[in-house]
Amino acid sequence: MATGFTLLLAACLLLVLAVAAAAVLGWADRAFHVEVSPQLEAILSALPGANCGGCGFVGCAEYAEAAAAGTASLTLCGPGGASCAQALAQITGSSITPTFPYRAVVHCAATGRQRLPAVKPPYRGELTCAAANLVAGFQGCTYGCLGLGDCASACRYDAIHVVDGLAVVDYANCTGCKACAKACPRNIISMVPFKSDRMLVVACCNSDNAPAVRAVCPIGCISCSTCSKKSSLMHMEGNLPVIDYDAYRDESDFVEALAKCPRESLIFVGEPHPADLVKVAGEELPARIEADFQTTVDDTQWWG
Amino acid sequence: MTMDSITLLIQIFVSAAIINNFVLHYFVGICPFLGVSRRVDTAFGMGCAVTFVISIASLLSWTLTYYILRPGAPLPAWLWRVAGGAESVTVDLSVLSYIVYIFVIAASVQFVEMYVRRFSPKLYKSFGVFLPLITTNCAILFTCLEILKQLQDPMRLWGLAEALTLGLGGGAGFTLAITVMAGIREELELRDVPRPLRGAGITLIVAGILAMACMGFAGVDKSIETTVQYLLH
Amino acid sequence: MTLTGPTAGERFINGILPENPVYRQLLGMCPTLAVTGAMKPALTMVAATAFALVSANLITSLIRHLLKPHLRILVFTLTIATFVTIADRFLAAYLYSMSKVLGPYVPLIIVNCLIISRCEVCSSKQSLGIALADGVGMSLGFGLGLASIATVRELLGSGSWFGIPVLPAAWPDWGIMLLPPGAFLVLGLLLATIEWVGRVRGAKKRARETSA
C-alpha cells in the first residue's frame, strides 16, 4: 500500500506543481506584458540583423526601438544601406531625405617602405596594432598606420586589408559598419559620406609641425596651408587640413588645392576615375604611385 | 542567532565562494565559464545573473525539499496518516527531486526574466540575455543537489538561512572566477599564444592554474570557527 | 546526403570524430573534468549519459510533432530528468560504490549541454532512425573524449589503467593529475593537440589539392 500511495502522491505533486507553475507563469505573462508593437516587428525584420553597432546602438533591436519611437534617424544603418532606409521609411510612414553611404577612410597614405623607422631597437612584441601602440619605437610616425592589421581582423565584409604595411579599404565591399574605425587604436579611420564614387580625403593624421613630420615620413602633411587657401571647403585645424564634407559637391572644388599640395597628403579614395583606368589598362601597376622625395634622413629602410 | 549558527553560515559562505569554488573545485558552470569570459563587463553581468538565479532556486528548492521531498518530510507523512497508513512506514518522495528541481529552476528563471523585462529594462539589457542560458547551468542544479544532500543527513539538517548562504556563496564564487578569467583573457589578447592553444585551450590551462591557486585555501574552513570566535570576543 | 540533411549513417560517423562533443563542440564539460580521474568512473558516466541521450532522443523524436516552440526546452529537460533519475537509481542499486564515486555528477547529466543540444538540433526535427543514429554516434564520441582524458590522468596520476597497474612501481604518481587543476590542464593540452593535428592535416590536404 505504501508503494501505491507513494506513486499516487508523486503523481499528485507533479500535477500540482505543473498547474501552479502554469497559473503563475500565465498570470505573469499577462501582468508583465511588454507592449511590442507590430511596427517594431516589421522594423526588426527589415534590418539586416548583423548587430554590428554601426548605427551607434548596441544591436539591431535597440536601433529598431529608437527608429520606431522616432528618436533616431532612419538612415543610420550602414550594412542595410539605402534600401533598408527606404523600407524603414515605408514602415514608419515618415520620409527620409536622401543621404549618402558612409564608408571608412584611412587617414594615412604612407606604405611600409615610406615610413621611417624609430631610432629605438626593433619592435619584438606581439604583432597587433593594439599591442604595438602601447610602446614607443615601433615606427617614426607616432600618429600613422601601424600596418599590423587589427582593422582587417575586425572587418566582417573583407573590405580592408593591409597592403605593403598600410591599411587599404576595398570600396567595393565596404558597408560602413565602422568596425575598423573602432578597432584602430590610433583612431585614424573615419567615416566619410560618399557623395560620389571618388572622394577627396586628407591622407595624413600627423598633427606635428613640419620638421617633425619630415623626419618621420616623406609624404606626410607639412601644414603649409596651401590647400586651405586654394579651396573654400578646406580649413586648417591645428596642423592638419579638414574638408567640409557637408558642403562637398564634386572634385572641381579641389582641382587647385590638389595641384598645389607639395606632399601626397590629399588623395582620392573610392572608385578609380575612368580616364585613369583607361590609362593603366594594359599595365602592371604597384598598389600606389611612389613619391619621389628627398628626405633629410638617410636610413629609409623599413625594418618591418 | 547563536554563535555556532553564525559560524556555520560564515563557513558555508567562505567554503562555497573560495575554498571549494564551484567552478574551480567542483567543475560546475564550466560552459558559461569558457563561453562568456571574454570581457570583464559581460562576465560580471553573467556572474550577477547566476548569483541572482541561484539564490531564488536555493530558496525554492529548500522549501520543497524540507517540506515534501526528503525522507521523513512533514507533508507526505501527514497525508499518509490522514489516509490511514501505519506510523512506522515513511513515505519517501525523494526520487522526484531531480525532476522537481529542474522544473522549479526553469519556471523561476522564466518568471524572473519576464519580471525584469517589464520593470527594469536597464537591468534587462545588462544581464537579461543571459537568463535563458542559466536554466541549463550546472551550478544551479548543483546547489539544489547540495541542499538535498544536507537535508537527507539528519545530523546536519540545514535551515533556510544555510541554504540561502550556500546559494549566495556559490554565486559569489562563480562571479569571482569568471571575472578573474575575463580579466586574464583580455590580457591574453595582446600576447603571443600558440595557435593550437588559442581560445579554449589556453583558457583551460589558465583555469588549471587558478584551480591550483584555490587549492592553497584548503583547510581554511577548519580555522574559521576559531577565527570567528576570536573576532567576536 | 538526403534532402533534409545528413543520413543516419553519416550522423553516426559524424558524432564520433568530426563533431566530437568534447573536442569539437566543447559541450558537456562538467562531467568531462569531474569524473575522468580514472577509467572506470569515466566509462560509467559515459554509459549513463549514453542511456539518457539515446532515450531522450527516442522520446523527443516520437513526440516531435506535438511540441510547442516556447515550451520545447522545458519538455526536453523534463524528459532527460526522468531518464537520468532512472539511471541514477539504477547505479545506486547495482553499482553502489561507483555511484558514490560519481556523486552529484550523475544528476548533473540533466543539464549536460550535449543532450539538450542534440534534442534541440536533431531529434526534435528528424525521424526515429536518424535520431537514434545521432544519439549513438554522439555517445561514442563522448566516450572517446572521456576515455582519452581519463587514460592520461589515470596513467600519470596512479600509474594504472582500469585499476590494473601498468607503469612500474617506481613511477612517482603525479598527484596533481587526480585533482581539479590536473583535469583542466589535461583537457586544455589535449584540446590543443587535437587542434594542432587537425591543422597539420588540413594544411597537408590543401597542399595536395593545390599541387594536384
Side-chain angles (χ1 to χ4, degrees):
Chain A
M1 182 178 165
T3 328
F5 187 77
T6 313
L7 280 174
L8 183 66
L9 207 55
C12 285
L13 173 67
L14 287 177
L15 198 63
V16 164
L17 268 182
V19 168
V24 170
L25 287 176
W27 168 82
D29 194 38
R30 268 171 290 124
F32 299 155
H33 188 63
V34 177
E35 265 310 318
V36 174
S37 63
Q39 203 185 62
L40 195 61
E41 301 285 330
I43 293 180
L44 261 175
S45 53
L47 290 173
N51 283 317
C52 67
C55 51
F57 295 92
V58 172
C60 294
E62 264 212 57
Y63 179 52
E65 275 174 23
T71 53
S73 156
L74 295 176
T75 53
L76 289 176
C77 182
S83 58
C84 174
Q86 294 275 14
L88 289 186
Q90 246 179 337
I91 296 170
T92 53
S94 49
S95 62
I96 43 167
T97 53
T99 182
F100 306 98
Y102 275 73
R103 305 246 175 86
V105 162
V106 178
H107 290 283
C108 181
T111 63
R113 273 192 286 271
Q114 290 169 317
R115 264 178 253 144
L116 304 170
V119 292
K120 294 216 170 115
Y123 178 70
R124 280 192 225 281
E126 176 60 13
L127 292 175
T128 61
C129 302
N133 196 34
L134 294 172
V135 298
F138 182 80
Q139 65 189 23
C141 180
T142 53
Y143 298 84
C145 179
L146 291 160
L148 292 173
D150 278 13
C151 48
S153 321
C155 182
R156 274 186 286 189
Y157 300 96
D158 197 26
I160 184 167
H161 308 99
V162 174
V163 175
D164 200 12
L166 172 68
V168 173
V169 180
D170 178 359
Y171 289 96
N173 291 344
C174 179
T175 60
C177 73
K178 300 185 202 151
C180 55
K182 284 182 212 156
C184 178
R186 288 191 163 179
N187 296 316
I188 60 168
I189 303 181
S190 73
M191 307 307 287
V192 163
F194 264 61
K195 297 188 177 183
S196 60
D197 282 338
R198 288 196 340 147
M199 295 292 289
L200 188 75
V201 298
V202 177
C204 179
C205 48
N206 192 326
S207 50
D208 286 345
N209 56 20
V213 174
R214 267 198 251 260
V216 296
C217 180
I219 57 166
C221 173
I222 48 171
S223 323
C224 63
S225 307
T226 313
C227 53
S228 60
K229 291 183 200 135
K230 294 291 176 192
S231 166
S232 56
L233 290 170
M234 298 180 69
H235 65 277
M236 297 299 287
E237 268 183 21
N239 283 326
L240 284 173
V242 172
I243 299 177
D244 181 4
Y245 285 108
D246 290 332
Y248 186 111
R249 283 162 310 159
D250 59 40
E251 299 165 21
S252 56
D253 295 326
F254 300 99
V255 171
E256 272 206 72
L258 205 57
K260 294 282 181 186
C261 176
R263 315 273 279 186
E264 270 190 56
S265 304
L266 293 177
I267 61 171
F268 280 105
V269 293
E271 294 294 314
H273 197 275
D276 291 333
L277 276 178
V278 166
K279 262 195 284 178
V280 302
E283 294 179 33
E284 196 64 50
L285 271 187
R288 290 217 30 239
I289 312 295
E290 307 289 333
D292 183 19
F293 249 95
Q294 308 301 320
T295 67
T296 53
V297 180
D298 279 329
D299 304 344
T300 51
Q301 208 173 357
W302 170 246
W303 291 3
Chain B
M1 303 250 302
T2 66
M3 185 61 52
D4 280 338
S5 58
I6 297 182
T7 316
L8 181 62
L9 287 180
I10 297 180
Q11 262 179 329
I12 295 173
F13 186 87
V14 173
S15 162
I18 301 176
I19 307 171
N20 296 325
N21 185 295
F22 274 20
V23 178
L24 300 173
H25 181 86
Y26 282 126
F27 306 113
V28 285
I30 299 282
C31 298
F33 181 70
L34 292 179
V36 186
S37 61
R38 277 234 145 91
R39 292 179 40 190
V40 176
D41 42 7
T42 44
F44 188 70
M46 179 63 154
C48 288
V50 166
T51 310
F52 186 53
V53 175
I54 286 191
S55 320
I56 297 181
S58 62
L59 287 174
L60 287 172
S61 66
W62 183 88
T63 317
L64 283 168
T65 316
Y66 187 80
Y67 289 109
I68 303 177
L69 288 175
R70 67 188 166 106
L75 188 62
W78 175 77
L79 282 171
W80 175 244
R81 274 201 308 278
V82 159
E87 280 290 331
S88 54
V89 178
T90 52
V91 176
D92 183 6
L93 283 179
S94 57
V95 71
L96 282 184
S97 10
Y98 307 152
I99 301 177
V100 169
Y101 290 153
I102 197 73
F103 187 76
V104 158
I105 293 169
S108 55
V109 166
Q110 183 88 336
F111 187 82
V112 163
E113 192 196 342
M114 281 195 268
Y115 183 84
V116 168
R117 192 168 175 219
R118 172 76 170 82
F119 289 113
S120 176
K122 247 196 324 205
L123 215 58
Y124 184 70
K125 273 201 219 319
S126 49
F127 73 71
V129 287
F130 299 128
L131 286 175
L133 281 166
I134 296 177
T135 316
T136 57
N137 189 334
C138 313
I140 326 274
L141 189 61
F142 182 78
T143 313
C144 297
L145 293 171
E146 275 293 304
I147 295 174
L148 175 70
K149 193 168 82 174
Q150 303 297 342
L151 285 177
Q152 276 174 334
D153 181 358
M155 290 291 293
R156 295 157 52 160
L157 213 62
W158 272 8
L160 190 59
E162 281 86 3
L164 185 60
T165 317
L166 176 68
L168 287 173
F174 178 82
T175 311
L176 185 68
I178 200 175
T179 316
V180 167
M181 178 57 81
I184 295 177
R185 279 185 93 169
E186 278 186 358
E187 280 294 313
L188 279 177
E189 295 274 305
L190 299 174
R191 300 283 171 259
D192 188 13
V193 178
R195 205 169 285 262
L197 276 174
R198 280 192 200 158
I202 195 71
T203 311
L204 285 164
I205 294 181
V206 170
I209 300 174
L210 283 176
M212 272 196 259
C214 253
M215 272 167 56
F217 290 113
V220 170
D221 49 354
K222 303 261 183 314
S223 52
I224 287 182
E225 246 189 89
T226 40
T227 313
V228 168
Q229 277 165 4
Y230 173 75
L231 283 174
L232 294 177
H233 279 148
Chain C
M1 264 233 200
T2 64
L3 278 173
T4 49
T7 63
E10 279 167 358
R11 278 189 191 273
F12 177 75
I13 303 289
N14 222 16
I16 303 183
L17 276 181
E19 268 184 39
N20 187 293
V22 174
Y23 288 121
R24 292 261 171 247
Q25 296 185 56
L26 294 176
L27 294 175
M29 294 274 109
C30 304
T32 311
L33 294 163
V35 306
T36 46
M39 281 300 280
K40 276 198 203 150
L43 291 183
T44 317
M45 172 61 76
V46 171
T49 312
F51 171 69
L53 176 57
V54 172
S55 321
N57 264 11
L58 278 175
I59 300 284
T60 316
S61 182
L62 284 173
I63 63 171
R64 70 184 183 277
H65 297 297
L66 303 169
L67 292 170
K68 298 259 174 297
H70 54 282
L71 283 180
R72 64 185 195 291
I73 302 281
L74 192 61
V75 169
F76 298 154
T77 322
L78 289 172
T79 319
I80 300 168
T82 318
F83 287 112
V84 169
T85 312
I86 298 174
D88 182 55
R89 294 291 99 204
F90 180 86
L91 279 177
Y94 292 108
L95 290 171
Y96 186 66
S97 52
M98 188 54 70
S99 137
K100 274 277 167 276
V101 167
L102 291 176
Y105 294 103
V106 175
L108 285 180
I109 299 174
I110 303 174
V111 285
N112 190 330
C113 323
L114 170 64
I115 309 183
I116 297 184
S117 143
R118 290 335 287 174
C119 283
E120 165 79 12
V121 167
C122 172
S123 55
S124 62
K125 303 183 174 114
Q126 304 290 347
S127 67
L128 202 59
I130 295 185
L132 190 61
D134 186 73
V136 175
M138 285 287 159
S139 308
L140 283 177
F142 189 64
L144 201 62
L146 252 62
S148 53
I149 302 172
T151 306
V152 173
R153 284 181 74 190
E154 197 180 357
L155 272 177
L156 294 176
S158 351
S160 61
W161 200 60
F162 273 107
I164 308 165
V166 166
L167 294 178
W171 173 257
D173 295 333
W174 293 14
I176 194 84
M177 284 293 146
L178 301 173
L179 293 170
F184 284 113
L185 291 171
V186 169
L187 181 59
L189 290 170
L190 279 176
L191 253 174
T193 314
I194 304 272
E195 265 295 311
W196 179 69
V197 166
R199 210 171 280 273
V200 163
R201 290 180 69 190
K204 276 204 202 130
K205 202 161 82 155
R206 270 197 303 278
R208 267 205 310 275
E209 278 165 9
T210 49
S211 65

